[in-house]
């Protein structure tokens, strides 16, 4: 359960960073305009803001999350290079990129473990809807036989 909270918190922080940056670009915030002018890209300011909004939408629409992480990673890589070129500290973009990848890896952790912390052998089936899915043995009277590390006492799968 903690993994889900941390993952969602990190995705929310990254999304807030992208949203605030996009709003600053739309509002022609002086520091952002100056940064883009120094890099010779002042004409593309609004386009970058739109890309950031697309990234946020992809991060929160789960079927497009992988695309969002890919585009956000490329975007943040470009930001890091632009900040190095203009003698600004790329620390904020680097930390945002690290937070994004930690959140994404925490999500993939769930895919590898079938979104359950009680069965990693793959024998048990997930039952229920939404976040309340639980691992339950397909036949509660039998033992899960997958390398002798899963058993089904009282119809619930437990792994050692």
């Amino acid at each position: 359960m903690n993994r889900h909270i941390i993952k969602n918190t990190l995705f929310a922080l990254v999304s807030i960073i992208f949203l605030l940056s996009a709003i600053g670009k739309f509002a022609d915030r002086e520091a952002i305009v100056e940064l883009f002018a120094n890099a010779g890209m002042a004409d593309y300011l609004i386009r970058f803001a739109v890309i950031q909004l697309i990234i946020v939408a992809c991060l929160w629409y789960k079927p497009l999350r992988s695309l969002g992480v890919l585009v956000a990673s490329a975007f943040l890589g470009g930001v890091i290079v632009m900040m190095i070129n203009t003698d600004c500290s790329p620390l904020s973009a680097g930390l945002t990129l690290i937070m994004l990848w930690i959140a994404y890896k925490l999500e993939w952790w769930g895919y590898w473990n079938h979104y359950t912390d009680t069965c990693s052998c793959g024998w048990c089936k997930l039952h229920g809807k939404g976040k309340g899915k639980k691992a339950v043995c397909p036949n509660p009277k039998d033992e899960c036989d997958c390398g002798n590390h899963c058993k089904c006492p009282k119809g619930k799968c437990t792994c050692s």
Side-chain angles (χ1 to χ4, degrees):
M1 185 69 176
N2 291 336
R3 176 176 44 84
H4 297 292
I5 294 170
I6 294 169
K7 174 193 76 161
N8 290 334
T9 302
L10 288 174
F11 272 129
L13 285 172
V14 170
S15 297
I16 289 170
I17 290 168
F18 274 110
L19 279 174
L20 291 176
S21 179
I23 290 169
K25 287 176 180 68
F26 282 127
D28 288 332
R29 192 167 159 234
E30 187 177 325
I32 296 173
V33 172
E34 183 180 331
L35 177 68
F36 275 79
N38 289 341
M41 298 178 6
D43 296 337
Y44 303 105
L45 199 60
I46 300 300
R47 293 177 187 149
F48 282 113
V50 171
I51 290 170
Q52 287 178 301
L53 293 178
I54 291 170
I55 289 170
V56 171
C58 287
L59 289 178
W60 285 103
Y61 183 60
K62 204 162 190 173
L64 294 177
R65 187 168 282 169
S66 295
L67 178 65
V69 170
L70 176 69
V71 175
S73 297
F75 185 87
L76 288 169
V79 169
I80 290 170
V81 169
M82 183 175 76
M83 292 180 112
I84 290 172
N85 264 351
T86 57
D87 293 329
C88 293
S89 173
L91 184 63
S92 60
L95 290 176
T96 305
L97 184 61
I98 290 170
M99 283 192 306
L100 176 68
W101 274 98
I102 289 172
Y104 192 59
K105 290 300 176 182
L106 287 173
E107 179 172 311
W108 273 98
W109 180 274
Y111 292 139
W112 293 119
N113 289 309
H114 310 290
Y115 273 111
T116 177
D117 294 327
T118 58
C119 184
S120 62
C121 65
W123 177 264
C124 302
K125 305 294 181 204
L126 290 178
H127 295 286
K129 292 183 179 179
K131 293 182 180 178
K133 291 183 177 180
K134 296 192 180 188
V136 178
C137 293
N139 188 352
K141 295 179 183 176
D142 298 333
E143 285 189 355
C144 295
D145 185 19
C146 44
N148 293 327
H149 60 274
C150 285
K151 296 185 184 255
C152 296
K154 299 182 183 176
K156 293 186 179 175
C157 197
T158 57
C159 292
S160 56

